Amino acid sequence: MNKTIHFWPLVTLLLIAFSLDSCRYQKHLEVRASHADSAIFAIGVTKDYERMRMVTDSFEMEGDITALNANRWRGVSYYRQGQYNMAELCFRKALESDIKTNEDQLSYNKVTRRLSELLLVKGDFEGSLRIAIPAVAKMEKTGIGSDIDYAILLNNIGICQLHLGRDQEAEESFITARGHYANRWQTDTTSRGFQEAVLGTVYTSQAYINTRRYAESIYWIDRTEMLLNMYRKRHDARTEYFDEYQGRIEIMRAIAMEGLHKSKEAEEAYKRFQKTAYSQTAAGHINANEYLVVAHRYQEAAYNYRYLDKALSDWGTEITLDNIQLYMLPKYRANAEAGRRDSAVVIGQRILNLLDSAITSQKNSATAELATIYDTQGKEAEIARKEADLSQTRLVSTGVALVLLIIFFLVYTLHKRRAAHRLRDAHVKLEEAHGKLEDAHAKLQTAYDQLEKTTKAKERIESELRIARDIQMSMVPNIFPDYDGIDIYAAMTPAKEVGGDLYGYLLQGDELYFCVGDVSGKGVPASLFMAQATRLFRTLAAQHMKPAEICTRMNAALTDDNEQGMFVTLFLGLAHLSSGLLEFCNAGHNPPVIGSEPHFLEVDSNAPIGLWPDIDFVGEQVDNIKGQPFFVYTDGLNEAENPQQEQFGDDRLLAYLKSVHGSTGKDVVEQLKAKVESHRNGAEPNDDLTMLYLRIN
């Protein structure tokens, strides 16, 4: 006890010093995080979502953003691509991360907003509440959260509560959300707060309409119009939204009034809607049908559905199982109720065809992607054991509902339109159709089962391969020595999620070991072989061996139990910094480029490493490379192809290296990477790409 008391003043001083240093470090991290967020957001604006995820991965590996924020940006990129399952997976992974900073808390708020909205749209109201309610409680506890975070989460909570029959709680949530929207527009120097408030009340109004609480919806529709009029008065308001919002307000009012049996007021609202430019758009025609169907104006609704394909195209919506239910079945009903028997039959047949093609397309697509990215043994059985039954049940239920709806409308149309003396024939045909639909139902259920398993497996594998990519990228150095007189920089870009290229360096006093290699094949097997080669290089180089001896020992280790016959081509160099002497061994690799007047270095031909045991590799040397740029690469550079299968080639490489004389190694590598990307012109990379630049002054 006395000893503890004796050291207490010293411990206190150390803790104070540590705290001050931590504060400075935290501010540094926040600046880096802000820069990273801005860069990722800027790429997202260009809609290059693949690059958005690549940059996010890079920032996360460099420690510029946390895992929580990285998964948030990945989720946003998938969400904007319409890949909602992957977006949900990323958002859930983000919520598994620890919240350590205020920036993490703000990212957590954004993630919960997105995820609760995704679940709400899917109809998983209880799941959405399980995300949104704890998020609001956490914001209230920490005091970290903007008014727009509160407003959107509370609005989501209210919509879920309304659909679950908790009307009083829903009303309280909406009122509280309204207060936060008001705080937002009162404190915001721009008009964005008003725009957000208008959109939020549109969602609230629509929720009351969707749950057939028409009387309550009128209050929120009136409030939406009031906010829109306030928004109009702002000098920086986005005028392109005025007409669309006004049109949506009028069509919601028409639906509500018709639901309250006030047909005259509903008709007046619909006429006001028709005066908007929005009503003449494809989206306007489709949204108007909700009122026309409620008002039993099926002829007009059937006419409007002629714009369905155009609206789906404008929205970028694909024909999936959910969208068949959401758009094609109402189109069928409108034509059936309008007495357009032939059109209804055609649409019914199209629904059956679309069901079959949608199921087959999703099944084949998921299976093909799975076969491409999944190349390890025994994983299928492991994934099958871990499959969850809840999502499968939901898909099967959806399929049953689709088939039952089709049966109902076919029976209804045939029964209503056929004469009494043809009733027996009609029943015979209906029974035949029923038998076919039962067969279709059995096939649909089987397809759903397989689709669910395939989709879950694909998502799990994508997650595992992302982790594998992170592990692999951590095995190659991404921080280069800040050593007077040395300019060294390297980069590796796998063609798939994981790859087989490698590079490395090891600086020991006056000796700089470096290597660049290319493993045969691509994907997971190549990445495993690459990991072994990387480990061996660092282990043997640390023992100050000559390059030829290192290659000989690596070959002995990698040929042992190499049943798949894999190998790696490798250029391995040892530069003596004081004298400029370069000792090297080239094991079947592309010759490097050297000199201010770039040319390929003449090298002896050793065999690749891993093919044959008991080989003694031959080493060579260059007397002095001081002042001479030295560039090593893999064939993913010179053999990169564009859509016309034209290779980048050696001539372009030499011409480029000659044009950048005097540039830094990082500039040379990054600009050359961009040149290769431009040459590919959208073509998929056919091999991994790795480059290393070295200059000793």
Side-chain angles (χ1 to χ4, degrees):
M1 180 65 69
N2 292 335
K3 189 174 182 179
T4 303
I5 295 173
H6 177 75
F7 282 102
W8 181 252
L10 177 60
V11 172
T12 302
L13 290 174
L14 289 173
L15 286 174
I16 293 172
F18 179 78
S19 298
L20 292 173
D21 187 62
S22 296
C23 290
R24 288 192 293 270
Y25 181 69
Q26 182 61 41
K27 290 181 180 178
H28 174 66
L29 287 180
E30 289 177 358
V31 169
R32 291 169 62 188
S34 177
H35 168 73
D37 284 338
S38 299
I40 296 169
F41 178 82
I43 296 172
V45 172
T46 67
K47 299 183 179 180
D48 188 355
Y49 299 119
E50 292 292 333
R51 177 165 174 75
M52 185 178 177
R53 288 192 286 273
M54 290 177 60
V55 172
T56 298
D57 293 345
S58 177
F59 280 132
E60 185 182 13
M61 286 187 289
E62 292 291 336
D64 292 335
I65 55 176
T66 62
L68 190 156
N69 212 19
N71 279 310
R72 174 174 76 89
W73 282 118
R74 293 185 191 108
V76 169
S77 70
Y78 283 121
Y79 181 90
R80 292 179 181 173
Q81 281 185 298
Q83 297 184 37
Y84 299 120
N85 286 336
M86 286 302 300
E88 180 181 341
L89 180 64
C90 291
F91 290 145
R92 289 192 182 276
K93 287 185 66 176
L95 297 186
E96 293 173 1
S97 303
D98 294 332
I99 299 175
K100 299 178 180 179
T101 66
N102 292 349
E103 290 295 323
D104 282 346
Q105 179 64 49
L106 293 173
S107 293
Y108 168 88
N109 298 344
K110 293 181 175 66
V111 168
T112 54
R113 281 167 45 184
R114 292 272 192 178
L115 183 54
S116 65
E117 178 183 304
L118 269 176
L119 297 174
L120 188 157
V121 171
K122 286 171 58 177
D124 185 4
F125 304 117
E126 292 182 351
S128 180
L129 288 177
R130 283 194 293 269
I131 296 298
I133 291 177
V136 172
K138 187 169 292 188
M139 286 194 295
E140 291 174 348
K141 180 179 179 180
T142 62
I144 301 173
S146 65
D147 282 304
I148 194 59
D149 290 333
Y150 276 106
I152 292 177
L153 281 168
L154 287 165
N155 217 52
N156 291 348
I157 290 171
I159 293 172
C160 293
Q161 290 169 333
L162 201 61
H163 280 276
L164 294 172
R166 295 152 60 177
D167 294 16
Q168 183 61 40
E169 294 173 65
E171 182 179 355
E172 292 172 1
S173 297
F174 290 138
I175 294 297
T176 309
R178 183 180 68 179
H180 285 288
Y181 278 125
N183 290 340
R184 164 75 165 163
W185 78 62
Q186 289 167 3
T187 56
D188 193 358
T189 57
T190 70
S191 65
R192 185 171 176 81
F194 284 98
Q195 182 185 343
E196 292 166 342
V198 170
L199 190 58
T201 50
V202 164
Y203 290 154
T204 304
S205 304
Q206 192 64 52
Y208 277 105
I209 289 173
N210 290 344
T211 55
R212 292 179 171 78
R213 294 165 172 82
Y214 300 115
E216 294 89 339
S217 71
I218 296 297
Y219 167 84
W220 291 101
I221 294 169
D222 289 340
R223 180 165 183 81
T224 305
E225 189 164 30
M226 178 196 73
L227 290 171
L228 180 60
N229 290 332
M230 295 171 66
Y231 183 41
R232 291 179 195 272
K233 298 175 183 178
R234 301 285 299 197
H235 69 280
D236 60 338
R238 302 180 67 175
T239 57
E240 66 268 24
Y241 284 99
F242 294 162
D243 182 84
E244 178 184 346
Y245 283 144
Q246 190 64 54
R248 294 174 70 175
I249 288 169
E250 297 300 344
I251 200 63
M252 287 192 299
R253 192 183 300 279
I255 296 167
M257 289 300 180
E258 188 65 34
L260 293 170
H261 308 293
K262 297 182 179 181
S263 299
K264 182 178 179 181
E265 291 88 338
E267 174 64 18
E268 291 172 355
Y270 183 65
K271 288 180 179 178
R272 291 194 297 271
F273 163 77
Q274 289 180 308
K275 293 179 181 179
T276 65
Y278 173 69
S279 69
Q280 301 306 309
T281 66
H285 281 290
I286 300 306
N287 289 341
N289 278 356
E290 189 173 355
Y291 161 72
L292 294 173
V293 170
V294 172
H296 304 296
R297 296 165 64 167
Y298 299 114
Q299 290 286 355
E300 294 173 67
Y303 172 85
N304 277 355
Y305 271 118
R306 298 188 309 168
Y307 295 89
L308 178 58
D309 290 341
K310 176 66 167 59
L312 294 178
S313 175
D314 291 344
W315 296 333
T317 303
E318 298 179 355
I319 299 299
T320 62
L321 296 175
D322 290 339
N323 290 332
I324 290 172
Q325 182 182 22
L326 190 60
Y327 299 109
M328 299 304 298
L329 286 177
K331 180 177 181 179
Y332 171 86
R333 182 186 175 194
N335 280 273
E337 295 286 1
R340 299 183 175 188
R341 178 179 174 278
D342 293 340
S343 296
V345 171
V346 170
I347 295 167
Q349 184 62 46
R350 187 184 178 196
I351 288 172
L352 289 173
N353 293 336
L354 288 174
L355 275 172
D356 184 67
S357 61
I359 293 168
T360 302
S361 175
Q362 292 188 36
K363 174 183 175 183
N364 291 342
S365 175
T367 302
E369 290 182 23
L370 182 61
T372 301
I373 67 173
Y374 193 46
D375 195 24
T376 56
Q377 297 179 350
K379 290 290 185 179
E380 292 86 355
E382 180 183 350
I383 291 171
R385 288 194 300 269
K386 296 181 180 179
E387 283 297 284
D389 293 331
L390 291 178
S391 296
Q392 179 178 331
T393 302
R394 181 175 64 83
L395 280 176
V396 172
S397 299
T398 302
V400 173
L402 284 172
V403 174
L404 290 176
L405 282 171
I406 293 171
I407 293 173
F408 169 78
F409 288 122
L410 284 174
V411 172
Y412 174 85
T413 303
L414 292 172
H415 177 73
K416 186 176 180 180
R417 299 301 172 186
R418 297 218 179 255
H421 67 277
R422 301 182 63 188
L423 187 57
R424 176 180 297 177
D425 293 338
H427 278 297
V428 171
K429 292 181 180 180
L430 185 59
E431 287 174 0
E432 292 175 353
H434 180 73
K436 292 179 180 179
L437 286 173
E438 284 183 339
D439 291 340
H441 169 238
K443 293 178 181 178
L444 181 62
Q445 182 169 342
T446 301
Y448 275 154
D449 292 343
Q450 184 60 40
L451 176 61
E452 176 66 12
K453 291 180 181 179
T454 304
T455 302
K456 285 290 184 181
K458 176 177 176 291
E459 291 174 355
R460 186 178 300 278
I461 292 161
E462 286 176 344
S463 175
E464 291 179 355
L465 284 179
R466 184 178 295 279
I467 294 170
R469 178 190 177 94
D470 294 344
I471 293 172
Q472 182 185 19
M473 295 304 292
S474 70
M475 298 183 68
V476 296
N478 51 33
I479 298 176
F480 299 94
D482 184 10
Y483 189 96
D484 189 27
I486 299 178
D487 181 8
I488 182 171
Y489 186 82
M492 180 176 73
T493 307
K496 292 187 176 182
E497 285 77 2
V498 290
D501 277 7
L502 63 99
Y503 70 85
Y505 76 87
L506 183 64
L507 180 61
Q508 300 182 110
D510 186 51
E511 297 179 341
L512 174 64
Y513 287 87
F514 63 94
C515 72
V516 171
D518 184 359
V519 177
S520 60
K522 293 181 282 295
V524 173
S527 71
L528 295 174
F529 203 79
M530 166 267 189
Q532 294 184 67
T534 302
R535 175 181 57 80
L536 287 168
F537 162 72
R538 294 189 63 84
T539 301
L540 297 173
Q543 300 176 37
H544 297 277
M545 295 181 183
K546 298 294 185 181
E549 184 179 359
I550 293 176
C551 290
T552 299
R553 295 205 179 190
M554 287 178 67
N555 183 70
L558 293 175
T559 52
D560 188 24
D561 294 329
N562 185 7
E563 296 179 357
Q564 295 185 354
M566 300 193 71
F567 61 88
V568 56
T569 67
L570 187 73
F571 184 92
L572 197 157
L574 166 58
H576 299 269
L577 303 182
S578 58
S579 65
L581 172 65
L582 173 66
E583 298 180 83
F584 68 88
C585 180
N586 188 68
H589 199 74
N590 298 339
V593 180
I594 186 172
S596 300
E597 291 294 329
H599 60 278
F600 291 104
L601 181 67
E602 293 185 5
V603 296
D604 288 339
S605 179
N606 288 296
I609 294 173
L611 277 180
W612 300 287
D614 303 324
I615 293 179
D616 290 328
F617 285 76
V618 177
E620 303 174 75
Q621 69 179 42
V622 177
D623 293 337
N624 191 352
I625 64 168
K626 283 190 175 182
Q628 301 189 69
F630 198 82
F631 184 76
V632 195
Y633 59 95
T634 62
D635 55 15
L637 171 59
N638 57 331
E639 295 180 5
E641 295 181 344
N642 60 18
Q644 291 75 41
Q645 295 186 327
E646 177 188 5
Q647 293 189 346
F648 188 80
D650 294 339
D651 292 340
R652 283 192 180 90
L653 172 59
L654 293 176
Y656 169 77
L657 292 176
K658 184 176 182 179
S659 70
V660 294
H661 177 65
S663 299
T664 66
K666 183 175 182 179
D667 289 342
V668 171
V669 170
E670 294 298 332
Q671 291 175 21
L672 188 50
K673 188 191 301 182
K675 288 279 187 183
V676 172
E677 185 73 21
S678 176
H679 172 77
R680 284 211 316 266
N681 193 26
E684 289 294 324
N686 54 350
D687 204 352
D688 306 327
L689 169 61
T690 301
M691 297 175 281
L692 183 145
Y693 176 96
L694 171 65
R695 185 184 181 100
I696 301 174
N697 294 323

